[in-house]
Amino acid sequence: MSDTRDQFRPDDHPNDHFLLTTVVGSYPKPKWVDRCRELLETDDADFGDDEWQEAADDACRLITNEHERAGLDAVVDGEMRRNEMVEFFADRIEGYEFNGPVKVWGHNYFDKPSVVGDVAYDETWLVDEYEFTASVADHPVKVPITGPYTLANWSFNEAYEDDEALAYDLADLVNEEIEKLVDAGARYVQIDEPALATTPDDHAIVGECLERIASGIPDDVRIGLHVCYGDYSRIYPEILEYPVDEFDLELANGDYDQLDVFTEHEFTKDLALGVVDAHVAEVESVEQIKQNIQKGLEVVPPERLTVSPDCGLKLLPREVAYEKMANLVEAAREVEAELDAGEIQVDPAPASADD
């Protein structure tokens, strides 16, 4: 069991067992947030930085409260200030520039940045966001941050010899940002690396990036790694060597077809299991989520299981996102009570003979 986990257990937790509940990061924005961003970017609109700051603060306060109302143990602000997971950070890193949107799929466009010079740390990226969220939250706050491998892989590299060298420089910047977040009080940081499982031959590069990120970070800071959209068999069990406490995995969307990947070798880290599908606007019942949670108990014991959505919820209708979270929490509490009562027997799959 990771010794960073108990700090997120509420003092008045109703059950002896504890399944940490949280979200991955993004959440549906109130429509007026996008309208305010449009006004900010319109030259002739009477809407400036101060007005945007007020609107963003209001949205962060609203969504953080919504997460707490659902009962989550660790909350985020839904990334209300962020426009996109790469663009937001690239806009704050020296060495990046933007040349217009690139079509990625269907009618979706991504303002894919270019690296045109050595990347460098200029201003803090998330400290203000974290400090505000922590000031309005009663629950612990988790900080998601896009990882260096994805920041490199999802950009045009016009300055570095290869993406590996770029990723390592970016990892040093992420480490610097996390150190500042820790100084501000953050104790739960999630590195988002969706590009990892789509380019699995580079898992060693991601490992080196994480070594750089974790360097000098205090032992009481919980570091998670979120991975999605890929074939996990091509990166597991190698990723168990990464210096993280928790792996956050998207499995509900694939109906847990890849669950057996993680039972062939002993899963030695904490597992943050996706138990509701972030891509489907249908609210799973509490009973269905309880069944999904028990899938996680096939891999790790309860004291190493975190319960979350598969991925960010930003593309769902807001009322659907909230109901998914509320049902997720209720399901986790019911599973805990059944574990306390001995109604659920836990027997994680044994490690293979060659481990």
Side-chain angles (χ1 to χ4, degrees), residues 45-119:
D46 184 17
F47 195 90
D49 290 337
D50 290 344
E51 287 79 11
W52 165 249
Q53 186 69 36
E54 180 179 355
D57 285 352
D58 286 347
C60 293
R61 184 183 291 108
L62 178 69
I63 299 307
T64 300
N65 176 264
E66 197 156 301
H67 286 176
E68 294 188 327
R69 183 159 49 90
L72 294 169
D73 299 308
V75 302
V76 302
D77 71 353
E79 302 180 1
M80 292 294 106
R81 303 177 198 276
R82 309 187 197 182
N83 48 352
E84 196 276 335
M85 69 179 302
V86 172
E87 182 181 338
F88 176 85
F89 293 97
D91 194 43
R92 287 157 176 78
I93 299 173
E94 289 187 11
Y96 275 90
E97 70 175 28
F98 292 90
N99 299 300
V102 174
K103 188 174 183 178
V104 284
W105 72 86
H107 298 290
N108 294 289
Y109 286 81
F110 160 46
D111 200 0
K112 187 172 181 177
S114 298
V115 178
V116 296
D118 290 349
V119 294

Side-chain angles (χ1 to χ4, degrees), residues 212-226:
R212 292 172 181 240
I213 289 170
S215 176
I217 303 302
D219 291 341
D220 66 339
V221 175
R222 184 173 183 81
I223 299 179
L225 179 70
H226 174 59

Side-chain angles (χ1 to χ4, degrees), residues 224-287:
L225 179 70
H226 174 59
V227 186
C228 53
Y229 307 122
D231 180 355
Y232 295 132
S233 68
R234 298 172 69 181
I235 59 175
Y236 187 84
E238 289 81 3
I239 59 173
L240 293 175
E241 300 300 318
Y242 291 172
V244 301
D245 301 294
E246 173 182 88
F247 288 105
D248 188 300
L249 302 173
E250 175 184 350
L251 288 166
N253 181 249
D255 199 26
Y256 300 95
D257 287 344
Q258 295 194 69
L259 189 73
D260 60 351
V261 169
F262 303 104
T263 60
E264 293 175 1
H265 299 265
E266 181 183 7
F267 199 97
T268 55
K269 303 287 187 175
D270 289 3
L271 171 64
L273 180 71
V275 297
V276 297
D277 193 338
H279 307 285
V280 176
E282 177 183 343
V283 179
E284 295 87 346
S285 68
V286 171
E287 189 57 41

